[in-house]
Amino acid sequence: MLDTTSVSPRALLARRKPGFSLEQAFYTSQEIFDLDLEAIFFRTWIYVGVEPDVPDEGDVMVVDIGRASVLILRDDDGEIRAFHNVCRHRGARIVHDEKSSVGKLVCKYHAWTYDLDGKLLRAEHMGADFDTSCHGLKPVHLKSVEGLLFICLADEAPADIDDLAEKMGPYLKPHAIRDTKVAHQVDLIELGNWKITMENNRECYHCAGNHPELTIPLFEYGFGFSPESMDETKAKEAHRYECMVDDLHGEWEGSGFPSKEIDHLDDRVTGFRTQRLPIDRAGESQTLDTKVASTKLLGELTEAKMGGLSFWTQPNSWHHFMSDHIVTFSVIPLSPDRTLLRTKWLVHKDAVEGVDYDLKRLTEVWIATNDQDGTLVGYQHSGVKSPAYEPGPYSPYTEGLVEKFVNWYCLRLADHLG
Amino acid sequence: MLDTTSVSPRALLARRKPGFSLEQAFYTSQEIFDLDLEAIFFRTWIYVGVEPDVPDEGDVMVVDIGRASVLILRDDDGEIRAFHNVCRHRGARIVHDEKSSVGKLVCKYHAWTYDLDGKLLRAEHMGADFDTSCHGLKPVHLKSVEGLLFICLADEAPADIDDLAEKMGPYLKPHAIRDTKVAHQVDLIELGNWKITMENNRECYHCAGNHPELTIPLFEYGFGFSPESMDETKAKEAHRYECMVDDLHGEWEGSGFPSKEIDHLDDRVTGFRTQRLPIDRAGESQTLDTKVASTKLLGELTEAKMGGLSFWTQPNSWHHFMSDHIVTFSVIPLSPDRTLLRTKWLVHKDAVEGVDYDLKRLTEVWIATNDQDGTLVGYQHSGVKSPAYEPGPYSPYTEGLVEKFVNWYCLRLADHLG
Amino acid sequence: MLDTTSVSPRALLARRKPGFSLEQAFYTSQEIFDLDLEAIFFRTWIYVGVEPDVPDEGDVMVVDIGRASVLILRDDDGEIRAFHNVCRHRGARIVHDEKSSVGKLVCKYHAWTYDLDGKLLRAEHMGADFDTSCHGLKPVHLKSVEGLLFICLADEAPADIDDLAEKMGPYLKPHAIRDTKVAHQVDLIELGNWKITMENNRECYHCAGNHPELTIPLFEYGFGFSPESMDETKAKEAHRYECMVDDLHGEWEGSGFPSKEIDHLDDRVTGFRTQRLPIDRAGESQTLDTKVASTKLLGELTEAKMGGLSFWTQPNSWHHFMSDHIVTFSVIPLSPDRTLLRTKWLVHKDAVEGVDYDLKRLTEVWIATNDQDGTLVGYQHSGVKSPAYEPGPYSPYTEGLVEKFVNWYCLRLADHLG
């Protein structure tokens, strides 16, 4: 057994074996969990929600990341801003519900009152020498990428989010995120390290055996395969699939819908990847019958068969954009062995439940898939913590994006440790 | 953000900024929590209850402080004593219920039997060489201040408790604590560090916005205010209040009831403060209608309008003595983020529930107030743990006693660290 | 108070006082708990169950020890084997239920498939360079002592298990463990350190005051006593008991049933002790009426009055073999203050519930006794964690086996620390 408990994170990074899962301490140690928050979640851009989470002036959403609590709010001028949810007097948390609407931000403890731009407006009994201008709420960097909200808790945020926004803009714009509403949200706590949750998301090697619902809309060949182990029939099918993707990409791009893969998963701080993928059978949406779940298509779209635009970001999100709805996922570490997976389903803001869409049809594929993945994450975590665990090999054909996630993670950690 | 996690307690103390709340580590770190127990709760006098908790010979009360468990009991000669609740054989806890009555103290494990003065009376099978006189229960220092019980877990207890007792005697005596009974007790677990619970108690800046019940008997001006921000009407009201306090103090002291402020909150090991404060409206008691809750007045008292004698001790108690009842509070740290607040309501020992007093009327103001304070303590703790938290300024007008608590705390810690 | 928190395990061992319970840190510190797992539970032979736990080919039992999870299974050739329950791909736990039956071992995550001898049979998408022969399940040492299963998680297992097996064979064989079935199992979590659970098992000083059921079949004098404190009547009774044991041992051994004490509790790595002890009253079994609980006697036995053969092993088991049934106990540490006690009741494999035995009669003595012991373990642990605790003296007459357990434990720890 390799001893990982007494080895420094720096030494563990140095002896990392590419193509293999990480050593145990990366998944189980409290020290590395704290380092992950410090080096990753408090430094890089973290996906936390969408503009429709705070649709109106005065709407506030609270997002907790580790010990930090952040207010995402829409100011009176319609601008979305982010602040630390900490009063500048004695440090009380100011807002407690996940979603609320306010006129001003008033700390319940001693009624210190802040404007929606963070300025301290009022603090009683503080005396003549007290300068309110030095006691505004501490701001948090916020970037909206076509309505997807990213925050960064560092003093200086990585600048390459602008390039991500520029590249992703044309892909995302047709799905008109700002004109959607959150139809449903589910918070699932998975019993594993957040990196195990991310690795699970970055491959579909496990799909055939575990996701009977998700494999209805998704093509088997869309996520890699080993050519060596295929018989002739399968090889032909795989080839046909690749031709179809090429054809559809040409068709979609011709109609003004960018679809081709962009992959910057491990070559920059704000790593991401996108690709529009065909949907099987009726070809419309990630539903059990592969037809749209909402009859009111998003934005200006008129064609239901748009495939599914997938968008993955490091370290903590993935998203699927269809013609009729969007499913968006955010991962937040809670402890070395507990991770929050927050899933939101978005439909056109004017779509009416029971008329334009049925909530069960809209959500059932991913509710089932998340539950299955949560179980698998728990299985992996409970085995990884064994003294008998040693890093195992990733499949060169089906786990390439897992490897890229791990690459990115190790680069960030190494960069932080200097 | 200030880094407090890798800084030693000594260095944190050295860079403390007077007039500001403490740095994060003081509220959240396990290391400092352990130090608090060691330097404060295992060294200074801790308030734990009242003589009426063990009214009769053989009555035993168990009080747990950190990992320590202490027996407070009344011996056959009527003397109150304190011992560690640990058998001298293999260390088993001896008494398990909070309150019980016993003839002898018998450890359930192997029936080692101790007298109420702690002496080991019987231990089977130990052989001829075994000396029972070396295996008595370990004593704990105990001091009754007019019936208020303080214990000290140190080998040598601070001697200045005697001065406290001498000074407080004349204030407390008229309320005849020894002739009361515990009419009710509530244990509330607050989700914050014990120092946040104490800071909350040491100011009423938060009262107006949070305590609709408590502000009925309590005067707005009794807990400090900022003269600068007052209009002429308010300034006159405040002046009138101060004159009234002076008048009442003169009147009460003339009748033999000491009332003037004594403040030794941060100039000695056994810090304390007292003052008799007027009660608003009917002026009798801390009840919703400000009239007495118990018609049987305490001790020899014949006048209901005695105001409320408040008594605060460092590190862990406060008390309000009215003509008809007493409310007494004890704070026990449970973990860095959990604190026990134990509240007891005392009435004349001969008062009969349903005849002389109604339990709801007696307790409703402080049950509501404690719940409100518990919520505020949770708010502060959950904000203070954020990496964005930094110490904020105390009001020079309304948070002076908070500052004194923090002064005292820092002095004790510095003294312990040497 | 002795300071044990800042003292190294090595120094604590060096200053150990023979004849006294251990210092606090041995019972409460996380560091020593981790050391216990490393030095004891991952190095020595650990009792985990019986062959009848996996009666048929393909039967699998999962046993968790600390962070390790072990599969105990019966291969297609009837051989019992043990493997780490960790997939060699990305480390997922493979089997999740405590008991199951399988054809092959298939990891649910990516369907890696292992034979019952641990060989990797199938792993999709791994490419031509992947060598399945390097990715079999990691084996765990397993030894069956007449049907009692011991595992060792070390690379090299202590060899003296063979001597234990040789010495214990003649004692155990008549009870034909392999021809029994598990009639009942209870998992009890005791709120104390595992060594407190073991100490509790190694003496009956506490029996008279705590075990009204167990003291029906067990003789008072079977577990030591202080001759000095006995009156003449008691001394005669004790002498009569010793004569009876001698007589019975002669009688049983004459009939081919080894009965005399063997004690190697603290003179070897694989410490153990055995002795056949008479049963009081009807003399048949550890039941409330001391008659057999199962009318189908074990193996070839024809005589019910065989007494009870007790067998104790270091660090974690004890067992009672009667003519009609067996009770077998396994102790697994969960955390410094939580311990799993797993009890199994075995009867002849052909005994039919409701016909040959009644489950309540079979189990009621030890269910009650375990519950009583669990309470006592909790009492001791909660007292031992007090700062006032100091090691107390063991009785030289009734706690000799406790001392031997502690000796063995300290020797193993010292040996590991080098």
Side-chain angles (χ1 to χ4, degrees), chain A residues 21 31 43-44 52 70 84 86 148 155 190 201 213 224 290 328 333 386 403 412:
Chain A
S21 59
E31 182 192 354
R43 306 255 154 186
T44 68
V70 177
H84 282 286
V86 178
L148 302 177
D155 292 340
E190 300 189 344
N201 168 256
E213 297 82 4
T290 67
T328 175
S386 165
E403 171 75 0
R412 298 274 58 74

Side-chain angles (χ1 to χ4, degrees), chain B residues 41-46 139-143 150-158:
Chain B
F41 281 83
F42 291 170
R43 306 253 155 189
T44 68
W45 285 99
I46 302 301
V140 170
H141 299 285
L142 180 137
K143 174 85 181 181
F150 294 80
I151 62 171
C152 178
L153 291 158
D155 291 339
E156 286 200 38

Side-chain angles (χ1 to χ4, degrees), chain A residues 139-207:
Chain A
V140 170
H141 299 285
L142 181 138
K143 173 87 182 182
S144 174
V145 176
E146 292 294 330
L148 302 177
L149 300 176
F150 294 80
I151 62 171
C152 178
L153 290 159
D155 292 340
E156 286 201 38
D160 60 359
I161 187 84
D162 291 332
D163 182 63
L164 175 152
E166 196 185 317
K167 288 203 167 62
M168 285 305 301
Y171 283 76
L172 297 173
K173 204 179 282 292
H175 298 277
I177 301 164
R178 291 189 179 94
D179 291 329
T180 64
K181 64 174 179 184
V182 179
H184 198 58
Q185 175 173 324
V186 171
D187 281 3
L188 179 70
I189 291 176
E190 300 189 344
L191 299 181
N193 188 271
W194 71 276
K195 295 186 289 292
I196 290 180
T197 296
M198 291 305 299
E199 293 184 38
N200 170 271
N201 168 256
R202 296 295 146 96
E203 47 92 0
C204 219
Y205 182 1
H206 70 274
C207 289

Side-chain angles (χ1 to χ4, degrees), chain B residues 132-206:
Chain B
T132 53
S133 73
C134 302
H135 291 89
L137 293 179
K138 292 193 179 174
V140 170
H141 299 285
L142 180 137
K143 174 85 181 181
S144 174
V145 177
E146 292 295 329
L148 302 177
L149 299 176
F150 294 80
I151 62 171
C152 178
L153 291 158
D155 291 339
E156 286 200 38
D160 60 358
I161 187 83
D162 291 332
D163 182 63
L164 176 152
E166 195 184 317
K167 289 202 167 62
M168 286 304 302
Y171 283 77
L172 296 173
K173 203 178 284 290
H175 299 275
I177 301 163
R178 292 189 179 93
D179 292 329
T180 65
K181 64 175 179 183
V182 179
H184 198 57
Q185 176 174 324
V186 171
D187 281 4
L188 178 70
I189 291 176
E190 300 189 344
L191 300 181
N193 187 272
W194 71 276
K195 295 185 290 290
I196 291 180
T197 295
M198 291 306 298
E199 293 185 38
N200 170 271
N201 169 254
R202 296 295 147 98
E203 46 93 0
C204 217
Y205 182 0
H206 69 273

